[in-house]
Amino acid sequence: MPDHADTQRAVLDAIFTGAVAASHPASFLPSHLPPLPASGRLVIIAAGKAGGSMAEIAEAHYAGLGVPAERISGVAVARHGYGRPLRSIPMIEAGHPVPDAGSVEGATRALEAARSAGPDDLVLVLLSGGASANLVAPAGDLTLDDKRTITRHLLRSGAAIGEINVVRKRLSRIKGGRLAQAAYPARLLTLAVSDVPGDDPAIIGSGPTVPDPASNAQALAIAERFNTPLGAARGHFEDAGNETPKPGDAVFAKSEFRIVATPAQMIAAAIEIAEQHGYEPVVLGANVEGEARSVAAEQAKQARALKAAGRKAALISGGELTVTITGKGRGGPNQEFSLALALALGGESGISALAADTDGTDGGGGLATDPAGAIIDPTTLARARARGIDPEAYLANNDSTGFFEAIGDLVAPGPTFTNVNDLRVILVG
């Protein structure tokens, strides 16, 4: 492998590792934690991929202040493999991206904890991406299987995460402001780690503690646009009595929502590390969306243009891409982007790239050991073809995991205990 490719790979690894470290709750959460209420309890409800680590840091913070354990209660829920050792509250691991029995248990306990809070208590919700799947309370007579069927379909359809969450809120007793409804009249503070483009509170974790601006009719239109098999759930979209709490509702009168970490902070860390290694940052933004293959094709053109201009640059972007699945392979948007990018670059010299999810997993089967993404360099296609591996066929089968696994180029850091969306870096020089 050429020396420049090795060097670029080392830089890419340093950028990703540094961006993840800057996004871990240990680096930002303590300064945002509130004082205890004067006389009541602190009820902690933590959920999402950073739910375990946020709860762990909060518990340590209050223990350091000498707060008695009996003044703290609640529950923490995170995806399997993302649990942390906690002192005062139970830790539950649940399914992601498809919910499981742990998701139902987590939501049940979260609602119970919220309802137990009185006017003198403070409910502290520590929210991060992944909470939509980790907290599942099927509405009415719906079952977990009903919700799984709808979620799986939307995930495979190419729907954006915001669209998926609008639909999910209609099927739930906890999403779309209903956790705040359960906590009222206690004071409620939500500290959120954003993993969504635009940092919209209504989208992060399906907005369990904020007003829901969307309507049942809008949710039904999204479901129908993606030909979603609603079955018994259709009635919940057509029932006016199933609307979520809206802006101005009294249940939000004592509620505050703060975003304490964003994809933009991850991008800022990536910029700093790229500059330290002599690369000029060219930032495409923290909120890039679109089909992974289309975005890869466009960014390949941009990388080639930078090379033609003689610039030593790092093309940096965040956001969440989508994949419309037509094949039967394994993968995720970062791996599909990487394979499509390799094909679009065609082995162009001097260009290497990494695309990975800061939460440590990219698509996959819901295991904590799933890869976060993949890395490419000018030798990627040649090494694959030398082993009899056809990259075009793997892409057509949506089998980006199989492709990068075969040539040893998966990025697999394991659980990172945070989640501020995806990071893509293309080094040119």
Side-chain angles (χ1 to χ4, degrees):
M1 189 178 298
D3 289 343
H4 72 268
D6 283 341
T7 301
Q8 286 186 329
R9 280 171 170 260
V11 174
L12 289 167
D13 180 70
I15 292 173
F16 179 68
T17 301
V20 169
S23 305
H24 191 279
S27 69
F28 57 79
L29 184 60
S31 63
H32 293 279
L33 292 170
L36 257 66
S39 58
R41 294 176 301 131
L42 176 67
V43 179
I44 297 175
I45 299 173
K49 295 172 188 173
S53 57
M54 293 177 83
E56 180 182 33
I57 291 161
E59 281 193 340
H61 173 79
Y62 292 112
L65 297 177
V67 177
E70 59 267 21
R71 288 196 66 189
I72 299 177
S73 62
V75 66
V77 190
R79 71 171 289 172
H80 290 293
Y82 286 63
R84 302 297 297 158
L86 303 181
R87 310 176 190 187
S88 305
I89 62 177
M91 179 77 240
I92 296 171
E93 296 191 5
H96 186 280
V98 178
D100 62 10
S103 309
V104 175
E105 181 186 2
T108 299
R109 292 210 188 187
L111 287 168
E112 289 172 350
R115 291 182 184 122
S116 76
D120 295 331
D121 298 332
L122 170 62
V123 178
L124 175 62
V125 176
L126 304 174
L127 189 67
S128 58
S132 294
N134 294 159
L135 293 178
V136 173
D141 58 355
L142 294 180
T143 67
L144 178 58
D145 282 342
D146 292 331
K147 296 196 70 172
R148 279 174 173 161
T149 297
I150 292 169
T151 300
R152 281 196 182 105
H153 177 87
L154 288 169
L155 287 168
R156 295 178 64 88
S157 70
I161 188 62
E163 295 173 315
I164 295 172
N165 286 355
V166 168
V167 174
R168 281 169 161 166
K169 292 176 187 180
R170 270 69 216 167
L171 313 174
S172 175
R173 291 180 288 110
I174 195 168
K175 296 176 171 64
R178 289 183 168 117
L179 181 60
Q181 198 171 46
Y184 184 79
R187 186 161 69 93
L188 174 67
L189 171 63
T190 303
L191 302 180
V193 175
S194 173
D195 69 325
V196 300
D199 306 326
D200 185 348
I203 297 178
I204 302 168
S206 296
T209 61
V210 296
D212 176 30
S215 67
N216 285 357
Q218 290 172 308
L220 182 59
I222 292 170
E224 291 182 335
R225 178 153 49 89
F226 292 101
N227 299 311
T228 309
L230 295 176
R234 179 170 289 274
H236 292 270
F237 294 83
E238 298 171 345
D239 179 8
N242 187 43
E243 267 296 0
T244 48
K246 301 303 176 193
D249 194 301
V251 302
F252 302 111
K254 298 171 69 176
S255 178
E256 181 184 356
F257 187 101
R258 295 184 211 156
I259 294 178
V260 294
T262 68
Q265 291 168 239
M266 166 195 70
I267 295 294
I271 289 171
E272 181 178 355
I273 298 167
E275 288 177 331
Q276 290 171 359
H277 287 86
Y279 285 87
E280 171 199 355
V282 178
V283 182
L284 303 178
N287 301 322
V288 175
E289 296 182 274
E291 189 75 19
R293 298 184 194 189
S294 300
V295 175
E298 178 59 30
Q299 292 196 10
K301 291 179 184 177
Q302 293 168 304
R304 280 198 164 112
L306 289 168
K307 181 185 174 184
R311 294 164 69 179
K312 182 181 180 182
L315 196 64
I316 300 171
S317 65
E320 187 162 295
L321 306 183
T322 55
V323 175
T324 301
I325 299 174
T326 57
K328 297 181 179 180
R330 298 169 295 146
N334 290 293
Q335 295 162 84
E336 180 127 342
F337 168 88
S338 298
L339 180 51
L341 181 68
L343 285 165
L345 289 171
E348 184 87 28
S349 64
I351 303 178
S352 302
L354 178 149
D357 196 324
T358 55
D359 67 18
T361 57
D362 176 47
L367 301 176
T369 53
D370 288 333
I375 191 166
I376 69 165
D377 65 31
T379 73
T380 295
L381 299 182
R383 286 185 289 117
R385 287 169 177 149
R387 299 183 185 193
I389 297 168
D390 182 351
E392 289 89 351
Y394 274 79
L395 183 61
N397 194 37
N398 298 117
D399 194 13
S400 51
T401 298
F403 176 84
F404 288 110
E405 190 173 58
I407 63 172
D409 282 343
L410 289 172
V411 175
T416 61
F417 307 105
T418 190
N419 183 24
V420 287
N421 221 314
D422 300 342
L423 175 64
R424 292 173 295 278
V425 183
I426 304 175
L427 296 183
V428 181

